[in-house]
């Protein structure tokens, strides 16, 4: 746990830097808000309709496929870290594990989840 | 106390500093805290300080490649160009759009900077000269870099702007998709080194860099890390000609500058990681006798890779989103899965020699791994050729026949 003290401090310093910069910017810069300036910037025209709408679902199919692989990767890290102590049998088992997930990719591919339309 | 050892400059400075703190009468706990704080500040200062130079350097280089001069007005050769740029951004008004989700809108730029600075916590500059040698360094990098994705997604969504929203969707599609081949290829050096610690991975490259053992992994890592940074040819997030500026369109002044800063730090950070994982990090001639040289070797390798990065950036046109996703899911992901399987089987079947083994023992091992990579590359190119010509034939067949020309 001692190792992570520096990471924690780094996170604080890393956040303090932008906070300080933005504070300095807001002190040094002018502050003259008006209704037109605070409006949404879309090519100078008045914005039309709500922004937070239902959008093309395609983007989320990729996110779902990603979730499958991200979980797989978390399982593969211990395998890779312990690799030099593993017997061949364990390596072959991991290969089978990877192949099962490759089958998921093939399934998604065949069901046209990876097509852009 | 041992004497001040110039060959191990950085660790010696650390020792002298610690002893000085102890003489001031601080307790050991406080000294350790102050040391860690100093480390964090130094790492941050390094990251931000380097950006000042890389911005000028990159603009100069792009200028040269495009047959222009680049910045050449402020200071000698335009080297001080960044100073007036920062001053200008400092004195700009910070606008918060009336319709934005204010909390998320102001958190996003801070996260964008913090996430890339956090990566530098585990990058080794020289043997032992690093923020902290986490034993899960590689996993930590993966975890922290997804913070950056989150920051861009937050910015795009909270701005309440349609261009920014399209950019946020592209983040979902692009950044997280390219994380899969990135991590799959990152697993290969971890596997060859048998450790997730970044310094351990560099130490394991004592006899040969991993780029020799796993060139395909290096290429996949390089390509997908370019996509992770979101730069040309993968700059769909902020494609100026399509969605104006993408996720940072509603940001102004220092808040905009923070996204800019984060992106530029990320660009050379990813090059530093490529150097660490595949090009031997701080390894180089005489580094065992003079450890301080490691910093120079690391920086030289990092900037050499950064040069290639800029070169690609100025040469390639932007990809279309469906091409981009096809390239990832139908080429890079299957290839990196096969690559991982092949590499792990090859490394296990040849029996990995110890890192300090004699050259005679190592050469067959290197030969097998390099040979496996060459075969895999040849098979990949062949499959690509077959699939490509089949697709081309189908497109030819589907094309409607030209209307016959009848008379004048």
């Amino acid at each position: 746990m001692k190792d992570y003290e520096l990471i924690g401090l780094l996170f604080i310093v890393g956040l303090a830097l932008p906070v300080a910069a933005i504070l300095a910017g807001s002190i040094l810069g002018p502050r003259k808000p008006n209704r037109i300036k605070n409006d949404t910037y879309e090519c100078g025209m008045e914005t039309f309709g709500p922004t937070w709408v239902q959008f093309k679902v395609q983007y989320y199919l990729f996110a779902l496929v990603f979730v499958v692989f991200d979980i797989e990767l978390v399982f593969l890290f211990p395998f890779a870290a312990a690799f030099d102590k593993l017997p061949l049998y364990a390596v072959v088992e991991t290969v089978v594990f990877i192949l099962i997930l490759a089958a998921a990719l093939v399934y998604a591919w065949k069901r046209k989840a990876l097509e852009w339309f | 106390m041992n004497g001040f050892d110039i060959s191990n400059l950085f660790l010696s400075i650390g020792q002298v500093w610690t002893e000085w703190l102890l003489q001031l009468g601080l307790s050991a706990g406080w000294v350790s805290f102050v040391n860690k704080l100093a480390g964090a500040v130094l790492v941050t200062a390094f990251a931000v300080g380097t950006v000042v130079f890389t911005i000028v350097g990159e603009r100069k280089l792009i200028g040269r490649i495009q047959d222009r001069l680049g910045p050449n007005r402020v200071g000698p050769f335009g080297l001080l160009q960044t100073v007036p740029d920062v001053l200008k951004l400092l004195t700009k008004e910070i606008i918060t759009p009336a319709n934005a989700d204010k909390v998320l809108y102001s958190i996003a730029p801070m996260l964008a900077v913090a996430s890339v600075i956090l990566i530098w916590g585990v990058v080794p500059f020289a043997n032992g000269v690093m923020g902290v040698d986490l034993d899960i360094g590689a996993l930590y990098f993966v975890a922290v870099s997804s913070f950056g994705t989150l920051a861009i997604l937050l910015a795009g969504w909270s701005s309440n702007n349609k261009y920014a929203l399209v950019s946020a969707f592209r983040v979902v599609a692009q950044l997280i998709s390219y994380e899969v081949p990135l991590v799959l290829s990152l697993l290969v050096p971890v596997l060859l080194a048998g450790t997730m610690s970044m310094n351990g991975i560099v130490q394991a490259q004592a006899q040969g860099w991993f780029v020799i053992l796993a060139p395909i992994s290096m290429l996949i890592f390089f390509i997908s890390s370019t996509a992770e940074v979101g730069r040309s040819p993968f700059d769909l997030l902020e494609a100026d000609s399509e969605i104006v500026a993408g996720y940072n369109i509603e940001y102004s002044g220092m808040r905009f500058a923070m996204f800019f800063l984060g992106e530029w730090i990320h660009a050379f950070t990813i090059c530093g990681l490529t150097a660490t994982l595949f090009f031997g990090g701080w390894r180089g001639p005489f580094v065992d006798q003079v450890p301080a040289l490691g910093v120079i070797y690391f920086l030289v390798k990092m900037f050499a890779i950064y040069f290639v990065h800029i070169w690609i950036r100025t040469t390639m046109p932007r990809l279309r989103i469906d091409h981009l996703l096809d390239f990832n899911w139908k080429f890079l992901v299957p290839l990196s899965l096969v690559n991982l399987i092949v590499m792990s089987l090859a490394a296990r079947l040849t029996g990995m020699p110890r890192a300090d083994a004699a050259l005679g023992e190592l050469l067959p091992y290197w030969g097998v791994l390099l040979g496996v990579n060459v075969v895999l590359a040849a098979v990949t190119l062949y499959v690509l050729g077959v699939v490509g010509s089949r697709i081309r034939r189908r497109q030819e067949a589907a094309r409607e026949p030209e209307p016959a020309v009848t008379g004048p």
Side-chain angles (χ1 to χ4, degrees):
Chain A
M1 207 52 217
K2 266 186 122 47
D3 282 353
Y4 293 90
E5 283 168 12
L6 188 131
I7 299 296
L9 284 171
L10 195 59
F11 188 58
I12 293 166
V13 173
L15 274 179
L17 176 85
V19 168
I22 292 169
L23 264 181
S26 62
I27 291 166
L28 289 174
R31 182 179 287 267
K32 296 184 194 112
N34 63 44
R35 203 176 59 80
I36 306 279
K37 197 191 276 176
N38 290 354
D39 213 1
T40 309
Y41 171 69
E42 281 167 8
C43 297
M45 288 198 278
E46 276 182 40
T47 184
F48 182 82
T51 303
W52 294 322
V53 291
Q54 288 187 339
F55 205 66
K56 204 173 159 98
V57 71
Q58 197 68 39
Y59 291 98
Y60 286 98
L61 290 182
F62 287 98
L64 286 174
V65 181
F66 162 77
V67 170
V68 176
F69 277 91
D70 214 31
I71 293 170
E72 171 190 9
L73 294 171
V74 173
F75 284 119
L76 284 176
F77 265 102
F79 154 74
F83 186 74
D84 47 358
K85 297 170 203 75
L86 292 180
L88 180 62
Y89 147 78
V91 175
V92 172
E93 272 206 348
T94 311
V95 168
V96 172
F97 174 66
I98 297 173
L99 285 177
I100 292 171
L101 282 141
L105 179 67
V106 172
Y107 175 75
W109 195 332
K110 286 286 167 220
R111 290 299 302 264
K112 299 209 177 353
L114 305 181
E115 301 296 325
W116 192 262
F117 46 81
Chain B
M1 166 187 174
N2 39 10
F4 192 84
D5 179 12
I6 192 76
S7 71
N8 205 347
L9 187 66
F10 297 95
L11 289 186
S12 304
I13 291 175
Q15 261 174 16
V16 169
W17 164 258
T18 309
E19 273 159 26
W20 182 70
L21 281 182
L22 282 171
Q23 276 170 1
L24 283 181
L26 287 174
S27 70
W30 272 105
V31 168
S32 139
F33 176 77
V34 170
N35 272 345
K36 279 173 177 155
L37 188 63
V41 171
L42 274 178
V43 167
T44 312
F46 168 80
V48 176
T50 315
V51 166
V52 176
F53 298 103
T54 53
I55 288 182
V56 181
E58 182 161 345
R59 287 177 64 182
K60 274 262 170 207
L61 201 59
I62 293 177
R64 285 293 167 185
I65 291 175
Q66 294 174 344
D67 208 6
R68 297 184 283 116
L69 284 173
N72 66 347
R73 284 288 175 265
V74 191
F77 308 108
L79 284 177
L80 299 176
Q81 182 61 48
T82 317
V83 179
D85 285 352
V86 171
L87 283 178
K88 187 201 81 171
L89 284 166
L90 262 176
T91 51
K92 286 270 176 182
E93 180 173 355
I94 295 180
I95 303 168
T96 313
N99 296 328
D101 186 325
K102 303 238 168 20
V103 180
L104 298 182
Y105 180 82
S106 42
I107 288 175
M110 299 167 191
L111 258 185
V113 174
S115 69
V116 280
I117 284 178
L118 273 176
I119 298 177
W120 279 99
V122 295
V123 180
F125 293 93
N127 197 358
V129 181
M130 60 192 300
V132 53
D133 192 8
L134 289 185
D135 44 7
I136 55 155
L139 187 61
Y140 169 84
F141 156 65
V142 176
V144 164
S145 61
S146 47
F147 262 123
T149 312
L150 187 65
I152 298 178
L153 183 57
L154 281 184
W157 188 81
S158 67
S159 295
N160 201 349
N161 180 309
K162 294 188 186 64
Y163 293 115
L165 190 75
V166 172
S167 175
F169 281 115
R170 288 181 175 188
V171 173
V172 175
Q174 177 186 337
L175 292 194
I176 68 174
S177 290
Y178 275 84
E179 208 172 298
V180 175
L182 180 88
V183 180
L184 279 172
S185 55
L186 169 74
L187 278 169
V188 172
V190 172
L191 183 141
L192 293 174
T195 172
M196 281 193 265
S197 135
M198 287 293 190
N199 205 29
I201 290 174
V202 178
Q203 270 160 354
Q205 301 179 57
Q207 304 283 356
W209 298 349
F210 286 156
V211 66
I212 307 168
L213 303 179
I216 292 181
S217 313
M218 194 281 289
L219 283 175
I220 297 173
F221 186 85
F222 185 76
I223 293 170
S224 47
S225 64
T226 315
E228 279 289 297
V229 180
R231 296 195 131 188
S232 205
F234 302 103
D235 61 345
L236 281 103
L237 308 180
E238 41 191 309
D240 332 37
S241 47
E242 300 162 18
I243 49 174
V244 195
Y247 61 91
N248 58 26
I249 181 169
E250 288 289 358
Y251 286 86
S252 67
M254 248 2 219
R255 280 207 184 125
F256 165 74
M258 288 304 111
F259 280 113
F260 199 73
L261 179 70
E263 189 197 315
W264 286 76
I265 297 179
H266 202 173
F268 70 82
T269 302
I270 221 84
C271 299
L273 278 162
T274 315
T276 305
L277 292 168
F278 292 99
F279 290 90
W282 42 261
R283 290 226 163 261
F286 306 113
V287 84
D288 289 327
Q289 287 83 35
V290 191
L293 275 179
V295 177
I296 297 168
Y297 290 136
F298 172 71
L299 291 179
V300 166
K301 284 170 190 171
M302 183 173 93
F303 285 117
I305 297 167
Y306 192 46
F307 172 75
V308 180
H309 196 99
I310 299 170
W311 192 359
I312 292 173
R313 184 188 165 179
T314 52
T315 317
M316 310 279 263
R318 186 184 305 136
L319 289 167
R320 220 169 68 189
I321 182 109
D322 56 335
H323 292 175
L324 180 98
L325 291 168
D326 275 0
F327 180 64
N328 180 62
W329 287 106
K330 298 180 179 174
F331 177 67
L332 281 183
V333 171
L335 177 63
S336 51
L337 282 173
V338 172
N339 181 45
L340 183 63
I341 293 174
V342 167
M343 287 302 285
S344 59
L345 283 178
R348 175 48 63 225
L349 289 175
T350 43
M352 293 192 2
R354 297 157 53 80
D356 53 350
L359 204 60
E361 262 182 81
L362 281 167
L363 277 180
Y365 170 64
W366 290 0
V368 169
L369 287 193
L370 187 58
V372 162
N373 268 284
V374 170
V375 171
L376 184 57
V379 170
T380 309
L381 288 178
Y382 177 73
V383 171
L384 272 185
V386 169
V387 173
S389 62
R390 191 183 298 162
I391 290 174
R392 218 169 297 128
R393 223 175 299 133
R394 201 182 304 153
Q395 280 173 346
E396 297 270 304
R399 190 177 297 159
E400 295 196 2
E402 303 261 326
V405 184
T406 49

